[in-house]
């Protein structure tokens, strides 16, 4: 083993051809100008070159040092990258590069990067065992992957293999899932359970898209619960950082609930330390004060939420008109009417309908939060009651309830106050319930989907040109209650929690037991069932395929995970480095660095990078190779294409990718030969933009953008119908069905208390935290045949007519 443990001699590398320019690159990186005193990192290199920004070329591409994938420019001189900067022509990153992004140059030239396939020679696995890595040829590496995958599946069926990926290379993960599905019929996947679990579901339910944020441009008051969005982290970090900082300087008031004074806490106007895991109590107390003080948007609650729904006090279930198949509201004239025919719905009250005692959903909500006085929550959270009162009043007053604003000729509700949240509340038990309590505050003040309020990143898209609607989406409406559905992250394909809950069969078909978690986001149950297959009646996987991830650390219990990993017959890893998980890998195939590869449509359709909103156009940016890959290591696209080609599965693999990327037939690449990445990029771009904007155009220009219309930034700006839930009747439906199914199958599931209140404890729907399947296809292995219903005609008036099972008037 060499000094760095990788059979790569550091000395050999540094003395090599890239050293002089590498030194120059580091100097350039640290100072931005030639030979600034005191920052000379290049002194160890044998030869020092002055940095000349005019030399060589500046190549537009995409950063992958984190999943934000900011648009950058790489300064390449004599075939060596000497500096990375933000690309000011792109809204993705707004021309900024963060410290980590600038350090990408160090990853590119890091001698410890793996660039050749290796196999383990020590059969013993463990954190204290040297795997004894031995370099092997690419041929052998592909054969090892192919034979172990194939044999496991032939022996034990499609569930014998589990694919794992997360967010480090998100489109690569989509390709990984597609390839394993198309080539091997692999049907299992796993991901981490401590990312957006809880948050994304609430964001889908409230904004029709899986990522939401304060509408910073217009917002004057932001409360953050457990997130450093725009100060250090989160989705579209470099887009948000400047915008948020400017708005704070202009007087935006920033309140942060966080046990720890992190990046947000230290910049906030008011940092509110809170006992970890207790945020729901604080949020419910804020709701209590808002209601007490009359600081609620009654009009919004009546017309854009299901709060007026009539609820059977006995069963907790919403009343539906049997013939119309729609939920019932009480009209001002004292007659119950379907939600869409009710002229003046009563937000509050107790009624009797056909002999059934009922209350409105809002009344039940109000009764529920009555208990959460500021004083009561103080005992739970440690946050002083007076602080909660102050924040609630500030929030309610900042919301400008009743006011409107005109944007691009459209008059819209103006609610410049928003409650935002992420990791700090999603990574606790009952994450969904905490998020539920927290995000409902936006409904109370009418800021959900309003100008200045809490808005989805990309709630709707009319296409990337004026006359090509190929890339478009708009959430449908769940007719029985008029609730908005969603379009998934990444690819913008339609999804429906309501359909899953009301219509699906809950019988689990995989180790993830996804059918029993209809609101689930990530496939993470594997880490429980793999260790207890008998308990859950699941089939353990035999081979694990880990792409661009470090799964040992996903669940916080390294030692237990180590035991699980030891139990796989064979573990395949694709990475750029050895990490904790690789102590358990049998074979590692390197992927080249992001600066050494090209990827089609790096930001997918509507992913985490584009925060949306007026002023942020639809931006399509290039990800292109800026230097040749060291040792010829492939990209994930090339690697999976090779596997598909060797297996004779080109048509299946390419067919699936065509669906995902909405490739038009006239631009499709040949299906009977190995996928060529840049040719595929061409078909994707031409299909979704136009003939002119092919990959060659992007290589030269880097970025294409298209202005965002007002109805693409604000969900209801075109007058569309649609509501969001305040009373979560569907949770009760799911609870009943999950309970019945686990009882039938003898699956241990922890029952929760059975309250029927909207913010109560309906957590039997989930065993852990509520975890999704097709929302995040990047982490979901795909079946080998195209998924029915995934490919739909783009339209902005799509709606669904479905009958809930609970249409009876009860
Ligand atoms: N620059 C950059 N941006 C990124 C990423 C990256 O690697 N780099 N990664 C991306 C990914 S995958 C994710 S998931 C996001 C994460 O983005 P964020 O959600 O903003 O992540 P954190 O900085 O972990 O923020 C969590 C905060 O919650 C606090 N916290 C912990 N427990 C509690 C609690 O009980 N209550 C409250 N109120 N707060 C609590 C913690 O102290 C911490 O300050 O960032 C994404 N954006
Ligand atoms: N302890 C701990 N656990 C956590 C979190 C945490 O903050 N701390 N965060 C949670 C969250 S929010 C998330 S999203 C997950 C993230 O979990 P992962 O996605 O597993 O993220 P990382 O641990 O960053 O591991 C990424 C791996 O991908 C490799 N890699 C990076 N770029 C590339 C590439 O271009 N190609 C390939 N093939 N490999 C690449 C890196 O070398 C690294 O080994 O972790 C979750 N678990
Ligand atoms: S925030 Fe942007 S520049 Fe920084 S590492 Fe992430 S993708 Fe790169
Ligand atoms: Mo994450």
């Amino acid at each position: 083993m060499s000094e760095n443990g990788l059979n790569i001699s550091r000395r050999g590398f540094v003395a090599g051809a890239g050293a002089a320019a590498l030194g120059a690159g580091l100097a350039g990186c640290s100072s931005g100008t030639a030979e600034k005193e005191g920052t000379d990192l290049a002194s160890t290199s044998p030869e020092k070159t002055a940095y000349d920004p005019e030399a060589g070329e500046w190549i537009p591409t995409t950063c992958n040092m984190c999943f934000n994938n900011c648009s950058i420019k790489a300064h390449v001189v004599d075939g060596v990258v000497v500096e990375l900067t933000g690309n000011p022509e792109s809204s993705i990153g707004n021309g900024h590069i963060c410290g980590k992004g600038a350090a990408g140059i160090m990853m590119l030239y890091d001698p410890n990067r793996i660039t050749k396939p290796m196999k383990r020679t020590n059969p013993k696995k463990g954190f204290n065992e040297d795997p004894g890595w031995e370099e092997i040829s690419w041929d052998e590496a592909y054969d090892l992957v192919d034979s172990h995958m194939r044999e496991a599946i032939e022996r034990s069926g499609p569930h014998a293999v589990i694919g794992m990926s997360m967010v480090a290379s998100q489109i690569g993960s989509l390709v990984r899932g597609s390839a394993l599905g198309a080539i091997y019929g692999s049907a299992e996947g796993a991901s981490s359970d401590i990312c957006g679990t809880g948050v994304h579901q609430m964001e889908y339910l409230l904004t029709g898209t899986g990522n939401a944020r304060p509408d910073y441009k217009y917002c004057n008051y932001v409360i953050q619960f457990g997130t450093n969005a725009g100060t250090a982290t989160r989705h579209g970090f470099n887009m948000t950082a400047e915008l948020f900082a400017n708005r704070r300087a202009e007087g935006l008031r920033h309140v942060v609930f966080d046990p720890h004074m992190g990046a947000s806490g230290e910049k906030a106007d008011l940092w509110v330390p809170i006992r970890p895991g207790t945020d729901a109590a604080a949020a419910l107390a804020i709701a209590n004060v808002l209601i007490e003080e009359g600081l609620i948007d009654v009009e919004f609650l009546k017309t854009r939420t299901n709060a007026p729904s009539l609820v059977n006090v006995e069963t907790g279930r919403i009343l539906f008109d049997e013939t119309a198949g729609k939920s019932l509201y009480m009209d001002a004239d004292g007659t119950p009417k379907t939600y869409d025919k009710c002229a003046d719905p009563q937000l509050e009250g107790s009624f009797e309908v056909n002999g059934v005692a009922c209350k409105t959903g809002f009344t039940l909500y109000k009764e529920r939060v009555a208990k959460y006085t500021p004083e009561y929550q103080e005992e739970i959270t440690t946050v002083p009651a007076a602080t909660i009162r102050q924040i609630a009043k500030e929030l309610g007053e900042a919301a400008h309830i009743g006011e409107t604003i005109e944007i691009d000729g459209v008059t819209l509700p103006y609610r410049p106050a928003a409650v935002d949240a992420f990791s700090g509340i999603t990574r606790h038990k009952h994450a969904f319930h905490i998020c539920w309590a927290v995000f409902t505050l936006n409904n109370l003040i009418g800021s959900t989907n309003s100008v200045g309020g809490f808005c989805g990143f990309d709630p709707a898209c009319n296409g990337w040109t004026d006359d090509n609607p190929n890339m478009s989406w708009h959430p449908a409406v769940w007719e029985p209650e008029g609730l908005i559905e969603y379009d998934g992250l990444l690819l913008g394909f339609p999804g429906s929690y309501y359909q899953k809950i009301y219509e699906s069969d809950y019988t689990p078909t995989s180790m993830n037991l996804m059918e029993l978690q209809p609101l689930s986001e990530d496939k993470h149950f594997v880490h429980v069932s793999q260790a207890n297959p008998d308990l859950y009646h699941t089939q353990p996987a035999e081979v694990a395929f880990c792409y661009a991830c470090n799964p040992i650390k996903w669940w916080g219990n390294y030692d237990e995970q180590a035991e699980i990993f030891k139990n796989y017959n064979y573990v395949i890893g694709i990475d750029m480095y050895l990490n904790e998980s690789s102590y358990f890998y049998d074979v590692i195939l390197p992927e080249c660095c992001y600066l050494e590869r090209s990827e089609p449509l790096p930001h997918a359709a509507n992913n985490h990078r584009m925060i949306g909103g007026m002023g942020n156009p639809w931006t399509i940016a290039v990800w292109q190779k800026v230097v040749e890959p060291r040792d010829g290591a492939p990209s994930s696209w090339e690697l999976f294409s090779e596997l598909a080609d060797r297996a004779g599965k080109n048509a299946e693999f390419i067919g699936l990718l065509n669906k995902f990327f909405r490739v038009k037939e006239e631009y499709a690449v040949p299906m009977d030969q190995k996928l060529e990445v840049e040719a595929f990029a061409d078909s994707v771009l031409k299909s979704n933009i136009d003939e002119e904007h092919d990959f060659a155009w992007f290589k030269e220009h880097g970025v294409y953008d298209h202005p965002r219309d007002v109805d693409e930034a604000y969900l209801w700006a075109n007058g569309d119908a649609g509501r969001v839930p305040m009373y979560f009747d569907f949770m009760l439906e799911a609870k009943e069905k999950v309970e019945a199914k686990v009882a039938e199958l003898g699956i241990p599931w922890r029952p929760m208390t059975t309250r029927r209140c909207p913010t109560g404890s309906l957590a039997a729907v989930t065993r852990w935290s509520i975890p999704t399947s097709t929302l995040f296809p990047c982490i979901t292995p795909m079946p080998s045949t195209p998924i029915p219903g995934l490919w739909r005609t783009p339209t902005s008036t799509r709606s669904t007519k479905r009958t809930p099972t609970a249409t009876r008037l009860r």
Side-chain angles (χ1 to χ4, degrees):
M1 202 50 100
S2 67
E3 60 185 277
N4 49 33
L6 279 171
N7 290 329
I8 302 165
S9 149
R10 180 168 292 148
R11 195 184 310 274
F13 174 78
V14 173
L22 167 61
L26 292 174
C29 184
S30 61
S31 67
T33 54
E35 308 207 309
K36 196 171 166 186
E37 270 196 14
T39 55
D40 186 2
L41 299 178
S43 57
T44 50
S45 65
E47 196 185 307
K48 202 162 78 178
T49 327
Y51 176 63
D52 175 8
E54 306 294 321
E57 39 176 353
W58 289 85
I59 304 177
T61 190
T62 292
C63 180
N64 195 45
M65 291 299 283
C66 84
F67 83 162
N68 282 308
N69 290 131
C70 300
S71 301
I72 54 166
K73 284 189 171 175
H75 186 193
V76 181
V77 180
D78 296 333
V80 176
V81 179
V82 297
E83 185 172 12
L84 299 170
T85 62
N87 183 351
E89 283 143 41
S90 173
S91 77
I92 301 173
N94 272 346
H96 302 299
I97 193 162
C98 78
K100 190 171 161 182
I105 206 164
M106 290 157 86
M107 179 196 262
L108 176 66
Y109 295 116
D110 186 347
N112 289 314
R113 188 149 67 79
I114 314 166
T115 50
K116 293 177 181 165
M118 301 191 293
K119 71 175 178 197
R120 138 187 317 274
T121 53
N122 177 3
K124 274 181 86 179
K125 294 182 178 176
F127 288 122
N128 295 319
E129 295 289 340
D130 180 347
W133 293 114
E134 181 187 288
E135 247 172 56
I136 53 172
S137 69
W138 273 101
D139 238 358
E140 185 179 350
Y142 284 123
D143 281 347
L144 283 171
V145 171
D146 193 64
S147 59
H148 283 93
M149 296 287 286
R150 206 177 288 285
E151 282 161 20
I153 284 175
E154 276 166 14
R155 198 165 49 235
S156 311
H159 294 286
V161 169
I162 182 158
M164 302 189 189
S165 339
M166 204 56 220
V167 298
S169 176
Q170 208 153 14
I171 309 300
S173 302
L174 168 73
V175 179
R176 191 273 299 154
S178 313
L180 299 194
I183 304 170
Y184 305 110
S186 152
E188 285 280 6
S191 53
S192 168
D193 65 346
I194 55 168
C195 183
T197 291
V199 162
H200 291 311
Q201 287 88 342
M202 280 307 301
E203 294 177 333
Y204 278 119
L205 289 165
L206 298 182
T207 70
T209 186
N211 274 319
R213 36 111 217 164
D215 187 13
Y216 296 104
K217 186 174 164 142
Y218 295 98
C219 193
N220 297 326
Y221 195 93
V222 171
I223 302 181
Q224 293 182 321
F225 279 92
T227 176
N228 296 295
T231 56
T233 60
R234 257 305 263 307
H235 311 66
F237 165 69
N238 269 339
M239 303 181 77
T240 314
E242 182 182 17
L243 183 59
F244 194 23
N246 289 343
R247 295 292 292 113
R248 287 198 304 272
E250 287 167 14
L252 175 150
R253 189 162 162 81
H254 179 203
V255 175
V256 170
F257 283 83
D258 197 315
H260 168 74
M261 184 184 267
S264 281
E266 69 180 16
K267 290 180 183 61
D269 296 295
L270 180 63
W271 168 53
V272 187
I274 184 166
R275 180 181 283 150
T278 65
D279 299 72
L284 293 173
I286 295 176
N288 176 306
V289 178
L290 287 171
I291 293 172
E292 283 292 308
E293 299 282 328
L295 291 169
I296 57 169
D297 189 339
V298 171
E299 186 62 23
F300 180 86
L301 288 165
K302 284 184 180 183
T303 57
R304 287 296 181 186
T305 79
N306 72 349
S309 303
L310 291 173
V311 180
N312 181 333
V313 289
E314 190 111 324
T315 62
R317 302 300 304 268
I318 285 178
L319 268 58
F320 287 88
D321 177 301
E322 213 170 327
T323 329
K326 291 184 180 176
S327 60
L328 285 167
Y329 286 7
M330 182 58 72
D331 210 342
D333 66 7
T335 41
K337 297 187 185 144
T338 58
Y339 80 85
D340 53 338
K341 298 273 160 52
C342 190
D344 184 9
Q346 303 302 289
L347 185 60
E348 287 189 58
S350 300
F351 310 94
E352 204 182 288
V353 177
N354 289 2
V356 175
C358 47
K359 292 181 180 177
T360 68
F362 187 74
T363 296
L364 290 171
Y365 176 83
K366 194 172 156 180
E367 287 173 5
R368 174 71 172 159
V369 300
K371 172 177 159 192
Y372 287 86
T373 61
E375 287 72 21
Y376 177 74
Q377 72 77 42
E378 180 171 338
E379 282 171 38
I380 302 172
T381 65
T382 74
V383 179
T387 307
I388 291 290
R389 286 213 164 79
Q390 177 199 338
I391 293 169
K393 278 189 199 155
E394 285 177 4
L395 175 70
E397 279 160 14
H400 288 252
I401 293 166
E403 290 184 25
T404 56
I405 188 173
E406 197 180 298
I407 295 181
D408 286 359
V410 184
T411 303
L412 297 161
Y414 174 63
R415 300 287 175 279
V419 180
D420 194 19
F422 210 87
S423 306
I425 64 169
T426 66
R427 293 179 194 167
H428 290 285
K429 212 176 196 178
H430 309 319
F432 179 83
H433 299 78
I434 306 175
C435 294
W436 184 354
V438 165
F439 288 123
T440 296
L441 296 174
N442 291 315
N443 288 347
L444 287 176
I445 58 169
S447 94
T448 307
N449 303 321
S450 295
V451 178
F454 184 67
C455 301
F457 280 23
D458 300 309
C461 179
N462 302 328
W464 291 346
T465 72
D466 287 336
D467 49 14
N468 180 4
N470 199 48
M471 186 58 83
S472 64
W473 58 85
H474 194 286
V477 168
W478 171 259
E479 291 251 329
E481 289 194 65
L483 298 175
I484 53 165
E485 303 203 285
Y486 65 77
D487 292 281
L489 282 181
L490 214 62
L491 299 168
F493 289 120
S496 171
Y497 286 128
Y498 305 116
Q499 184 177 25
K500 265 194 245 171
I501 286 171
Y502 287 100
E503 295 174 6
S504 70
D505 180 352
Y506 285 57
T507 312
T509 55
S510 72
M511 270 205 296
N512 284 297
L513 311 186
M514 293 301 275
E515 292 82 356
L516 287 169
Q517 306 159 85
L519 280 163
S520 178
E521 170 93 34
D522 299 332
K523 297 186 156 185
H524 65 226
F525 202 81
V526 171
H527 70 290
V528 180
S529 54
Q530 179 75 13
N532 306 284
D534 296 340
L535 208 55
Y536 296 105
H537 313 290
T538 48
Q539 176 193 347
E542 295 167 27
V543 172
F545 191 115
C546 309
Y547 171 72
C549 61
N550 192 2
I552 281 268
K553 65 117 226 256
W554 282 351
W555 299 293
N557 53 347
Y558 283 69
D559 292 336
E560 281 172 45
Q561 293 308 315
E563 291 311 309
I564 293 174
F565 268 78
K566 276 188 211 167
N567 279 336
Y568 292 114
N569 290 346
Y570 203 74
V571 186
I572 299 158
I574 300 184
D575 208 292
M576 300 167 55
Y577 286 97
L578 296 173
N579 60 22
E580 287 89 337
S581 304
S582 56
Y583 281 105
F584 302 87
Y585 293 172
D586 290 278
V587 64
I588 292 194
L589 286 69
E591 176 163 12
C592 61
C593 174
Y594 65 100
L595 294 164
E596 298 169 326
R597 66 192 201 230
S598 299
E599 300 226 352
L601 213 58
H603 306 90
N606 60 341
N607 203 2
H608 306 302
R609 300 80 193 206
M610 283 183 276
I611 63 163
M614 297 307 284
N616 280 320
W618 296 106
T619 306
I620 321 306
V622 73
W623 182 333
Q624 66 174 316
K625 181 195 284 197
V626 299
V627 288
E628 287 305 315
R630 200 191 311 164
D631 294 327
S635 71
S636 61
W637 282 79
E638 290 162 342
L639 193 152
F640 290 114
S641 303
E642 177 70 30
L643 278 173
D645 189 47
R646 284 169 177 249
K649 296 280 187 182
N650 287 322
E652 289 84 348
F653 177 54
I654 297 170
L656 209 46
L657 293 175
N658 283 345
K659 295 277 180 213
F660 290 152
F661 289 92
R662 310 189 191 207
V663 169
K664 290 180 175 170
E665 220 174 307
E666 65 259 42
Y667 296 123
V669 295
M671 307 277 283
D672 57 355
Q673 59 195 57
K674 187 162 106 181
L675 183 84
E676 209 273 296
V677 179
E678 297 202 355
F680 185 69
D682 244 21
S683 28
V684 173
L685 294 164
K686 285 171 164 167
S687 299
N688 292 302
I689 307 174
D690 55 27
E691 191 82 28
E692 181 197 342
H693 295 95
D694 58 5
F695 196 62
W697 185 95
F698 271 88
K699 279 165 101 167
E700 188 187 337
H701 296 89
V703 183
Y704 163 92
D705 60 36
H706 183 65
R708 197 177 297 253
D709 296 337
V710 66
D711 67 335
E712 294 171 306
Y714 302 107
L715 190 57
W716 296 312
N718 57 5
D720 269 5
R723 289 158 199 262
V724 297
M726 268 297 284
Y727 189 84
F728 284 50
D729 182 76
F730 52 89
M731 293 292 275
L732 287 166
E733 176 89 7
K735 177 177 169 7
E736 274 174 25
K737 290 182 169 167
V738 170
E739 282 178 352
K741 187 55 81 179
V742 295
E744 176 195 327
L745 301 178
I747 293 175
W749 214 252
R750 186 183 44 195
M752 302 291 294
T753 42
T754 52
R755 290 184 187 282
R756 294 191 201 102
C757 311
T759 52
S761 319
L762 308 174
V765 184
T766 63
R767 173 73 168 60
W768 300 90
S769 46
I770 297 202
T772 305
S773 51
T774 52
L775 313 184
F776 238 154
C778 59
I779 48 183
T780 309
M782 297 298 166
S784 51
T785 47
I787 299 159
L790 202 61
W791 192 232
R792 68 173 171 79
T793 327
T795 152
S796 62
T797 50
R798 186 165 51 87
S799 73
T800 48
K801 269 196 195 295
R802 293 180 191 117
T803 318
T805 51
T807 44
R808 269 175 305 118
L809 186 62
R810 302 184 257 197

